[in-house]
Amino acid sequence: MLNGVSFSPNDPPRLSEFLLTGDLPDTLPPLPHKDVELVGADGTLQTVRTVVLDIHAALDWLSALALDNEDPLVEAWSVATKLGIELIARGRLRPMVTRNGLDAWGVGPLDVADSQRLDELVKALPPQAYAVPIHGSSPVRLSAPRSVITNYWNAIADTLVRSPAAPGIVRYAAYVAAEPVDVEPLRSWLEDLSSGEAGPLRMGFRLEPPSEDDGKFAVAPYLQSTSDHSLTIDAADLWDAPPTLRRHFGEDAEAVMLRSLRRAARAWTPLAVLLEQERPDRLELTERDFDALLDTGSSQLAAVGFDVAWPREFTASPVSVRASLAGVTSPGSGRAKFDLSQALDLQWSATVDGQKLTEAEMRALVSAKRPIVRMRGRWVVVDKDTIEKLKSRKAREARDVQAGEALAGAMSGELIIDGELVDVEVDSVLHGIADRVRNYERQTSLPEPAGLKAELRPYQQRGLAWLNEMCELGIGGCLADDMGLGKTIQIIALHLYRAHLHQEGGPTLVVCPASLLGNWEREVARFAPEVRTHRFHGTKRSLEEVDKHDIVLVTYGVVRRDRATLGEREWDLVVADEAQHAKNPRSLTARSLRAIPGNVRFALTGTPVENQLTELWAILDWTTPGLLGQLEAFRRNVATPIERNHDKDAAAALSAVVRPFLLRRRKVDPEIAPELPRKTESDVFVPFTAEQASLYKAVTEEALDAIKSKEGIARKGLILKLLTALKQICNHPAQYLKQNGPLAQRSGKLAAFDELVDGTDESILVFSQYVQMGRLLESHLAAKGVSTLFLHGSVPPRKRDEMVEQFQAGEARVFLLSLKAGGTGLNLTRATHVIHYDRWWNPAVEDQATDRAYRIGQTQPVQVHRMVCEGTLEERIAALLRDKRELSESVIGSGEGWVSEFSDDELADLVMLS
């Protein structure tokens, strides 16, 4: 924690500097220290080691900080920095003369809103942010906090505005040259130019509505205290104000008024008429001047520090444009069912005070020549953008809105139309459906369906009720329970419930990976023996014998090839198990899945987001088309702010929309599965052998040299090749060298692996992303007499089922699995140890693999071992994954592709052997 920060203004301001004392934040790069004498709390001088930052270094550091820094001093100066940069970006700049007569840029003029923000910042500053006395030739205490901030802003302005290119564009040196320029002769002119900006008083203008007699608008100048914004006086009252009132504004109030009027007239010339008056107090506006004031005059005056205050009645009830949706079909009797294929009519209306305007009033608005209209006995403000919006939308025919998009709008009250967020009203039918979706948690349970040979757990009963409610509404959703919590049985129960409730319903189609076909068959036979299952798989696949109450199982690969055949059948439920297989919305798999019609669609996945939020979009746009809008708009307005900027408001808004359509329960929730045993996770850090170290070092140095000379795709390719090589060396030199042996004494990771296997007689799952490493481990364990099975992508579905049965029956103690082939869908609860021999750089994927053992049905504690080679990229990646675990689903991509964006120095820091 810092215990003091002082800002030391210099002449010129760009040479100012920061003085930091205390423990430096981790966000600061290493900086040289120097000893400075400070005045201590007891008044004595103390020599303190400090760091001094110039303005460039301070800006780089403070502007990059998030506003949730733990150090209040750092956060205060970070806010001050960002406000200063914002003011400069908005053109709040003015030329100044320093105390020594030198040219300098400063921030100003400030309008009322800017001054209020400055006041709030000053009040919020902790004392240590400005009260560190600096000892030079004698102890000097810093200025008041307001002066410290304004001096800092001036230093920012003088630093950022000057550009190396400026002297070549501007022929004179003042205010552009790097070296200070003497502009003392300009002092009086500049002071007159900035009169009224600072000091105790500032001038503004008040717009007055027409009286019933003359019908003309007018502007009246007024003075306002800069220290007390509630203290104001109109020009008409100033000239004849009694002495008691004048004392509040000072003896030079009239001079300030006249100087300020001259400056204002230079910004907006119609005000020059006021200077011709003996006592300028009110300017009646012609129609032309009034329109000019509303169009550009207000902004021109604001740019030089003069506010134009509008009458309260103008700002109280602006016109707003509202969208309305109608056209949800209702069955007439009973509860409405939402048809996701329908389109709803979008109409536009204008409102004032929430009351819709008539067609005649809307036509009057559209044809209005100025943005202030007399309507319903009062003045109504309509900004130019609103008028243009109303004109363009009234000119267009009513457009259609996708049903899912309309449902999201009904739930939030807002809709994105043509890239703009607008308020939306819905008819009573759609409002009722949105209310049912919003209050889905009221559906606690349903009676267990006839024919179900199992007792559902309480959370599974609630899941069945939610699934059925979404079916009754016709909108589908995503069941995103953790792996092992029984998503399969909840779908089977739903199928039975609907089969008995809706005798006219169609069959259920389950799409899943090939490795899960056998699991679905066994689960249906176990929990619903009366239901027939059909595998639409193999060379003789057919749907001819499928009855309306049957369940059909099909793989994603067959869906891609036979989507036309599957699309000809009327399905009641279409279920996508391990729905992340269709996470790329533009893939053939996703497009084929969309071509299969169903009354209701459900996605099943324990990881609705593996890498990017667009995967969540793809899943929900399949189950409930249109819910999250168009993909590009979602990526631009939602995914990017959350993933790149960690925008909490955007994340909360997305969660509010998604929550009713995505039922998510986790194993760690005590009310979900309290009977699950303990799970212990640990990283096993292992040393290198000499052979591994020499290989690792040689490969790294050679690759880094080659990468420095490459760009673009070629550079990324070399980086991915390097990462693969280093991970293989960490596993075992034999894998990198493509050798079959010998294996002993060559890998620290293999030695640690042997200790884990030999240290228990319990069943073990071992995951690796490399099939070659799996084969090496298989032969190594066989030589030791350890019984093994090895599941990888080339094993056919029937053989996979046999392997699962063999392992569950205890016929093999170690089950080796390639991560892609065995990381999902399998029930391997006999295992009590899970070893990740090498890391897949995505925690969600690793958790899926672990859940093969840690799931409902597991009765023993499960130990998870993640093997990491010390001093290598594996150790550094492990640290990154620990720090980023909460955000890993959206920040860290699958595999190693994200590392290819590292700079050369960052890459070297990651991979070099320490």
Side-chain angles (χ1 to χ4, degrees):
M1 294 286 288
L2 290 175
N3 53 37
V5 178
S6 69
F7 174 75
S8 176
N10 286 312
D11 196 350
R14 61 185 177 278
L15 300 182
S16 303
E17 58 190 14
F18 268 95
L19 177 70
L20 284 65
T21 62
D23 297 330
L24 296 183
D26 294 336
T27 51
L28 268 179
L31 293 167
H33 292 70
K34 72 176 183 180
D35 292 336
V36 173
E37 286 187 318
L38 304 181
V39 178
D42 58 358
T44 61
L45 292 179
Q46 301 174 4
T47 301
V48 180
R49 298 213 72 192
T50 67
V51 166
V52 175
L53 280 76
D54 61 27
I55 290 298
H56 286 285
L59 285 176
D60 289 344
W61 170 47
L62 293 169
S63 63
L65 292 178
L67 295 183
D68 56 358
N69 198 285
E70 295 181 359
D71 194 320
L73 293 180
V74 175
E75 184 169 354
W77 281 109
S78 179
V79 171
T81 301
K82 292 172 182 178
L83 286 178
I85 293 173
E86 179 193 329
L87 289 168
I88 295 166
R90 286 167 36 213
R92 296 292 189 190
L93 287 167
R94 59 175 182 169
M96 301 178 356
V97 180
T98 70
R99 292 187 303 271
N100 296 335
L102 303 177
D103 65 322
W105 287 100
V107 168
L110 301 182
D111 59 22
V112 172
D114 293 331
S115 296
Q116 289 174 342
R117 293 169 78 185
L118 175 58
D119 291 341
E120 292 169 1
L121 176 60
V122 168
K123 291 176 183 178
L125 285 179
Q128 299 91 335
Y130 57 87
V132 180
I134 303 177
H135 178 68
S137 57
S138 61
V140 177
R141 293 193 175 273
L142 294 182
S143 305
R146 187 181 185 93
S147 298
V148 174
I149 296 299
T150 54
N151 286 335
Y152 177 43
W153 284 353
N154 291 341
I156 296 176
D158 205 42
T159 300
L160 294 183
V161 173
R162 296 175 189 268
S163 162
I169 299 173
V170 181
R171 295 183 180 180
Y172 51 87
Y175 298 100
V176 297
E179 297 300 322
V181 175
D182 184 1
V183 289
E184 179 65 33
L186 299 176
R187 183 185 294 276
S188 59
W189 174 75
L190 287 172
E191 288 178 351
D192 180 66
L193 184 67
S194 60
S195 63
E197 288 184 22
L201 298 176
R202 66 192 304 271
M203 192 184 75
F205 296 92
R206 183 177 291 108
L207 181 65
E208 297 181 348
S211 65
E212 295 183 0
D213 298 332
D214 56 21
K216 290 184 178 181
F217 287 89
V219 290
Y222 65 89
L223 285 181
Q224 181 182 51
S225 169
T226 55
S227 60
D228 182 0
H229 295 157
S230 65
L231 187 61
T232 62
I233 186 170
D234 290 338
D237 299 327
L238 175 66
W239 313 117
D240 297 320
T244 54
L245 181 59
R246 277 180 172 275
R247 279 198 296 270
H248 291 290
F249 294 94
E251 295 299 325
D252 62 342
E254 294 181 5
V256 171
M257 175 75 77
L258 293 174
R259 288 199 304 267
S260 297
L261 274 176
R262 285 199 300 271
R263 190 160 59 89
R266 287 196 293 267
W268 193 57
T269 54
L271 292 174
V273 175
L274 283 172
L275 296 173
E276 300 173 1
Q277 300 176 4
E278 181 180 354
R279 292 185 172 186
D281 58 1
R282 189 173 185 272
L283 173 66
E284 289 189 351
L285 300 174
T286 65
E287 285 196 12
R288 180 178 179 181
D289 287 342
F290 175 68
D291 292 340
L293 177 66
L294 298 181
D295 187 20
T296 60
S298 294
S299 58
Q300 289 169 344
L301 289 169
V304 292
F306 297 106
D307 292 318
V308 178
W310 292 53
R312 185 180 300 275
E313 65 172 300
F314 285 10
T315 59
S317 305
V319 172
S320 62
V321 176
R322 181 181 293 272
S324 60
L325 293 169
V328 177
T329 56
S330 175
S333 61
R335 296 188 295 181
K337 185 173 183 178
F338 202 51
D339 181 2
L340 287 170
S341 64
Q342 67 180 307
L344 281 73
D345 295 333
L346 177 70
Q347 302 288 346
W348 296 102
S349 61
T351 63
V352 175
D353 283 335
Q355 301 296 316
K356 286 187 178 180
L357 301 181
T358 65
E359 284 295 325
E361 289 171 329
M362 290 176 64
R363 285 195 296 272
L365 286 179
V366 170
S367 60
K369 297 180 180 179
R370 63 166 59 115
I372 298 181
V373 179
R374 191 75 174 173
M375 184 176 292
R376 298 187 181 184
R378 61 187 301 179
W379 291 101
V380 176
V381 176
V382 190
D383 63 78
K384 194 167 21 175
D385 290 340
T386 300
I387 290 180
E388 292 302 318
K389 188 188 306 178
L390 200 56
K391 284 181 180 179
S392 63
R393 287 171 178 171
K394 291 297 290 182
R396 278 182 273 164
E397 295 294 330
R399 55 167 286 186
D400 293 336
V401 173
Q402 199 171 0
E405 187 179 2
L407 179 58
M411 296 182 64
S412 66
E414 297 175 325
L415 201 62
I416 295 179
I417 303 295
D418 300 331
E420 180 188 359
L421 190 67
V422 298
D423 294 335
V424 64
E425 292 179 339
V426 298
D427 61 23
S428 59
V429 176
L430 183 55
H431 182 272
I433 293 174
D435 188 61
R436 285 177 60 191
V437 174
R438 194 182 295 111
N439 297 297
Y440 70 95
E441 290 179 343
R442 296 176 186 172
Q443 302 294 324
T444 56
S445 63
L446 288 177
E448 291 189 359
L452 183 66
K453 305 302 181 183
E455 182 178 347
L456 297 177
R457 292 175 169 84
Y459 74 88
Q460 293 173 335
Q461 292 175 346
R462 293 193 296 273
L464 172 60
W466 176 78
L467 289 166
N468 184 67
E469 178 76 354
M470 304 307 268
C471 284
E472 291 298 307
L473 289 169
I475 57 179
C478 176
L479 182 58
D481 289 346
D482 267 356
M483 293 293 176
L485 291 184
K487 294 188 289 293
T488 302
I489 192 174
Q490 293 176 70
I491 292 295
I492 294 172
L494 176 67
H495 173 85
L496 288 171
Y497 190 85
R498 290 184 62 77
H500 288 281
L501 190 65
H502 305 287
Q503 295 297 323
E504 73 283 359
T508 292
L509 178 68
V510 175
V511 186
C512 62
S515 61
L516 300 188
L517 289 174
N519 184 68
W520 271 95
E521 270 189 335
R522 286 191 300 273
E523 298 284 270
V524 174
R526 177 184 176 188
F527 299 124
E530 297 178 2
V531 176
R532 293 195 307 166
T533 59
H534 305 265
R535 281 200 189 196
F536 189 68
H537 193 258
T539 57
K540 297 182 180 180
R541 54 183 178 267
S542 172
L543 298 176
E544 292 181 1
E545 298 181 0
V546 175
D547 186 64
K548 64 180 181 180
H549 293 158
D550 294 350
I551 293 178
V552 176
L553 308 174
V554 62
T555 66
Y556 285 97
V558 171
V559 165
R560 289 193 295 269
R561 293 188 292 273
D562 282 6
R563 60 183 180 276
T565 302
L566 293 167
E568 293 172 356
R569 189 68 186 253
E570 293 185 7
W571 305 98
D572 180 41
L573 302 178
V574 179
V575 179
D577 194 8
E578 301 296 345
Q580 65 271 16
H581 282 75
K583 64 187 179 182
N584 181 355
R586 294 191 174 94
S587 67
L588 179 59
T589 299
R591 288 186 281 116
S592 300
L593 203 57
R594 290 171 184 270
I596 301 174
N599 291 332
V600 188
R601 295 169 172 173
F602 286 109
L604 310 183
T605 175
T607 53
V609 180
E610 279 189 340
N611 307 316
Q612 298 175 335
L613 284 174
T614 51
E615 297 166 3
L616 177 64
W617 181 94
I619 290 174
L620 291 181
D621 197 67
W622 175 69
T623 63
T624 315
L627 178 68
L628 298 180
Q630 298 299 312
L631 177 58
E632 291 307 317
F634 176 82
R635 181 182 284 117
R636 179 177 61 255
N637 300 323
V638 180
T640 297
I642 295 175
E643 293 171 352
R644 292 187 184 176
N645 307 326
H646 306 296
D647 189 321
K648 295 180 180 179
D649 292 337
L654 175 62
S655 177
V657 173
V658 165
R659 190 181 300 114
F661 302 90
L662 189 148
L663 188 59
R664 177 73 164 141
R665 280 85 63 90
R666 299 176 182 274
K667 292 174 183 174
V668 294
D669 300 337
E671 70 278 10
I672 297 301
E675 67 272 25
L676 272 177
R678 183 181 69 257
K679 178 175 70 170
T680 304
E681 298 181 275
S682 61
D683 290 339
V684 181
F685 291 95
V686 300
F688 258 4
T689 64
E691 181 184 4
Q692 283 178 297
S694 61
L695 268 177
Y696 189 102
K697 184 177 180 181
V699 169
T700 301
E701 292 176 350
E702 180 180 355
L704 290 178
D705 286 340
I707 289 168
K708 290 179 181 178
S709 62
K710 300 294 183 181
E711 295 180 354
I713 295 177
R715 183 179 184 274
K716 290 184 178 181
L718 288 178
I719 291 175
L720 295 178
K721 181 180 178 181
L722 169 63
L723 298 177
T724 300
L726 297 184
K727 291 177 73 174
Q728 291 178 351
I729 293 171
C730 289
N731 280 352
H732 200 289
Q735 181 188 358
Y736 172 71
L737 298 171
K738 296 181 173 54
Q739 300 170 339
N740 294 325
L743 301 180
Q745 309 299 318
R746 299 177 64 190
S747 168
K749 188 178 285 191
L750 183 64
F753 173 79
D754 283 340
E755 291 180 5
L756 291 174
V757 174
D758 296 342
T760 181
D761 57 1
E762 298 173 1
S763 298
I764 303 172
L765 303 183
V766 181
F767 288 97
S768 173
Q769 62 182 298
Y770 301 106
V771 174
Q772 182 188 4
M773 191 65 227
R775 296 195 188 283
L776 291 175
L777 292 175
E778 183 181 31
S779 62
H780 176 70
L781 292 173
K784 297 176 58 170
V786 178
S787 56
T788 63
L789 295 166
F790 183 25
L791 173 60
H792 50 81
S794 299
V795 176
R798 295 288 184 187
K799 181 63 176 175
R800 297 183 191 198
D801 296 342
E802 293 176 7
M803 286 183 171
V804 171
E805 292 175 359
Q806 288 177 284
F807 182 77
Q808 290 292 88
E811 297 179 18
R813 189 161 74 87
V814 176
F815 202 159
L816 302 165
L817 306 103
S818 69
L819 194 61
K820 284 191 175 181
T824 58
L826 302 179
N827 188 339
L828 302 171
T829 52
R830 185 176 183 85
T832 56
H833 289 264
V834 178
I835 298 175
H836 292 283
Y837 193 86
D838 46 61
R839 304 295 302 275
W840 185 262
W841 294 350
N842 186 326
V845 174
E846 290 185 348
D847 290 344
Q848 276 190 318
T850 298
D851 285 341
R852 301 312 96 224
Y854 190 66
R855 58 193 297 121
I856 295 297
Q858 179 60 264
T859 59
Q860 301 297 318
V862 174
Q863 296 186 52
V864 182
H865 314 273
R866 295 182 290 257
M867 309 197 72
V868 180
C869 286
E870 292 178 323
T872 70
L873 85 162
E874 285 196 334
E875 183 174 5
R876 297 176 192 115
I877 291 296
L880 282 174
L881 295 182
R882 284 195 300 272
D883 295 340
K884 300 288 187 180
R885 193 169 190 87
E886 184 176 339
L887 294 174
S888 63
E889 293 181 342
S890 60
V891 176
I892 299 178
S894 178
E896 300 85 9
W898 54 282
V899 180
S900 64
E901 304 298 331
F902 280 19
S903 67
D904 290 343
D905 291 340
E906 291 171 331
L907 181 64
D909 290 340
L910 178 71
V911 301
M912 289 296 287
L913 183 64
S914 62

